Amino acid sequence: MAGFNPYLQKSSTTLSTTPYQVTFLPANVTIKVTPEGLEHNPVGEKGSILSIAEANGIMIDHSCGGVCACSTCHVFVKQGLDSCNTPTEDEEDMLDMAPGLRRDSRLACQCIPDGSQDIVIEIPGWNRNLVSETPH
Ligand code: FES
């Protein structure tokens, strides 16, 4: 599910114009992000951490479809937080409902790096989809 929430404030966002890297922990998977790659925007805000993760097979829960209406995409930005857009009041309101809130907490669907730094994201344990199904 993807879409946008017409009631949300728009954050001031600068999309990356140069390549940068996003590392997802604890899997320790590093994705090279290019400006062209941001055109493929499966879910969340364009250029968001959630969009980058989804486009590269990294699973982050996103119950509302990336429209800032839940807090299931809560992640920690362990490196590069300064290069990300400022959270809107709507994002902060949703984060207030997230478990384990920290200074580096962001909603992956709303957090958009500008590409000036490499980013390290930690996906909290409760957000990891650990379901493993065996074929029937
Ligand atoms: Fe619901 Fe990000 S997926 S707030």
Side-chain angles (χ1 to χ4, degrees):
M1 183 170 101
F4 77 101
N5 183 339
Y7 302 105
L8 285 182
Q9 313 163 314
K10 273 291 177 200
S11 79
S12 56
T13 303
T14 305
L15 283 178
S16 170
T17 56
T18 57
Y20 68 101
Q21 294 186 332
V22 181
T23 298
F24 291 94
L25 302 175
N28 200 22
V29 173
T30 299
I31 308 293
K32 183 174 181 178
V33 179
T34 62
E36 305 79 44
L38 297 178
E39 293 305 317
H40 178 52
N41 184 43
V43 66
E45 291 290 316
K46 185 175 181 179
S48 68
I49 295 298
L50 181 62
S51 178
I52 292 165
E54 279 286 309
N56 291 281
I58 307 288
M59 300 305 294
I60 299 175
D61 277 350
H62 52 279
S63 295
C64 74
V67 297
C68 197
C70 70
S71 59
T72 57
C73 67
H74 176 203
V75 295
F76 304 123
V77 183
K78 296 186 67 126
Q79 179 187 310
L81 186 58
D82 292 346
S83 69
C84 299
N85 61 332
T86 303
T88 62
E89 278 186 40
D90 294 318
E91 180 181 351
E92 289 179 345
D93 288 348
M94 284 297 145
L95 277 170
D96 284 344
M97 293 187 267
L101 193 64
R102 301 189 332 204
R103 284 178 182 264
D104 58 355
S105 289
R106 290 296 304 264
L107 295 180
C109 69
Q110 304 298 308
C111 180
I112 305 171
D114 68 10
S116 63
Q117 299 177 39
D118 290 339
I119 305 290
V120 177
I121 299 294
E122 179 183 350
I123 303 173
W126 57 83
N127 270 8
R128 287 178 220 139
N129 185 347
L130 300 176
V131 174
S132 172
E133 294 184 11
T134 54
H136 298 277

